[in-house]
Amino acid sequence: ALGVPSPKKGMDGSQVWAYYKAGRLAEIVDYCAGDVAAARAVFRRMTGNDFAHRVLQEHYGSDARDD
C-alpha cells in the first residue's frame, strides 16, 4: 500500500510463538524490524515527511539524520 513494499517474507505473526520456543530470536527480530520499517514508511508517506527526508538525504548525503 502507498508504494511501500511488504516486509512479509517467510514468516507471519502466527508463527512468532513457535519461533520463540525454537530459539529463533534473530528471525523474530528481523520480522519485527521489517514491520516497524514499513509502518514508519507509511507514516512518512501519509504525513509528507518522506519528501523532507529525501531532500535532506540528497543535500547532506549519509550524514543526514534519519529520525
Side-chain angles (χ1 to χ4, degrees), residues 20-51:
Y20 176 79
K21 290 192 300 185
R24 298 170 69 175
L25 302 180
E27 291 166 275
I28 296 170
V29 168
D30 289 342
Y31 170 77
C32 292
D35 274 354
V36 170
R40 183 177 189 191
V42 167
F43 175 79
R44 283 183 167 170
R45 290 281 165 88
M46 298 293 292
T47 61
N49 288 331
D50 64 328
F51 175 76

Side-chain angles (χ1 to χ4, degrees), residues 3-28:
V4 175
S6 173
K8 308 298 183 198
K9 295 179 181 93
M11 181 181 176
D12 65 55
S14 71
Q15 297 170 302
V16 171
W17 180 241
Y19 275 51
Y20 176 79
K21 290 192 300 185
R24 298 170 69 175
L25 302 180
E27 291 166 275
I28 296 170

